[in-house]
Amino acid sequence: MDQVNIGLKLLRPPTLTPAEFKHLIRRKGWRMADVALRWNVRPETLSRVAADASRETRWDDAVRALPSLLRRERAAVTAARLFLCPPRPRRSPPGHPDHPLTPSAPTVVALPAPWQDEEEPEPYASLPDGFRYQGYVGLGSELAVISDIGSFVQEGAVLLVVDVRLGVGSDGEAQEEYLCESAHGHTLWLDPEQMDDWVVFTGKTRQGF
């Protein structure tokens, strides 16, 4: 019976919590978007997997098997992702590059159809990198904080998306950014890279937005 118990622990290990899942990815030196490309899944799909406390064991095994990256390797992996899946060309922003874009007409970003079959992932390159949360996270979405965000909020807090804007990434590419409000009424804009590192979507959306 002892042998069976040992075997059961190996076949049915405890599932990593959402915080443990993303923390392990970060501790190994990876960004969520880079891991998504390595596994040939969409970033928002990986975010859903991370937030699922009852995910299949194979996902936890995949995270544990990720090689650890040095800082220069992490930068190289991100550079390679942007080379393989470059952002779509967009209008240059007016003024300072850190300012949000203010186009005269709404910018429409076409995304692939919602994920259907994770056994047959669609090409990652079809998703504009800076808009990987569009159609998945929006007004009223609840985001669980999985790592302290400076003095803004601590791990375990829940943020509410109260606004969305078109912004500019560090490389000048367009991206969608999310204004997140804490339970204390404080707000902070998060870009896709920060979303990868600090929050996961809870799957809940509050009405009235």
Side-chain angles (χ1 to χ4, degrees), residues 113-128:
W115 185 263
Q116 296 294 333
D117 186 355
E118 63 187 27
E119 296 299 331
E120 298 180 2
E122 296 181 18
Y124 179 103
S126 63
L127 188 73

Side-chain angles (χ1 to χ4, degrees), residues 28-206:
K28 287 176 172 284
W30 289 82
R31 291 185 173 91
M32 289 282 286
D34 295 337
V35 173
L37 177 56
R38 178 183 172 94
W39 292 348
N40 197 30
V41 299
R42 299 176 188 164
E44 72 270 26
T45 297
L46 183 56
S47 186
R48 289 193 195 100
V49 169
D52 184 3
S54 59
R55 78 184 73 83
E56 296 180 2
T57 302
R58 62 191 174 109
W59 290 105
D60 289 358
D61 288 345
V63 171
R64 294 187 177 101
L66 279 174
S68 296
L69 301 180
L70 300 174
R71 180 176 298 179
R72 66 176 181 274
E73 290 174 327
R74 177 181 182 177
V77 165
T78 298
R81 167 170 59 84
L82 295 174
F83 173 78
L84 292 171
C85 309
R88 296 178 182 178
R90 299 189 179 278
R91 182 186 303 176
S92 298
H96 195 279
D98 288 338
H99 290 174
L101 286 173
T102 53
S104 56
T107 301
V108 178
V109 180
L111 292 182
W115 185 263
Q116 296 294 333
D117 186 355
E118 63 187 27
E119 296 299 331
E120 298 180 2
E122 296 181 18
Y124 179 103
S126 63
L127 188 73
D129 188 63
F131 294 83
R132 55 184 175 270
Y133 286 97
Q134 190 180 74
Y136 169 47
V137 170
L139 295 179
S141 294
E142 290 186 357
L143 306 176
V145 179
I146 52 87
S147 180
D148 292 354
I149 306 178
S151 60
F152 179 57
V153 289
Q154 295 182 331
E155 179 180 337
V158 174
L159 303 177
L160 181 67
V161 177
V162 296
D163 197 6
V164 179
R165 72 181 180 188
L166 189 61
V168 185
S170 58
D171 295 323
E173 78 281 4
Q175 63 186 14
E176 193 167 60
E177 299 172 347
Y178 306 86
L179 183 62
C180 300
E181 183 178 79
S182 71
H184 299 292
H186 302 142
T187 58
L188 179 69
W189 285 99
L190 297 183
D191 62 35
E193 289 291 336
Q194 293 168 328
M195 298 269 285
D196 287 346
D197 290 339
W198 291 337
V199 299
V200 293
F201 179 41
T202 65
K204 299 179 181 178
T205 300
R206 299 183 195 176

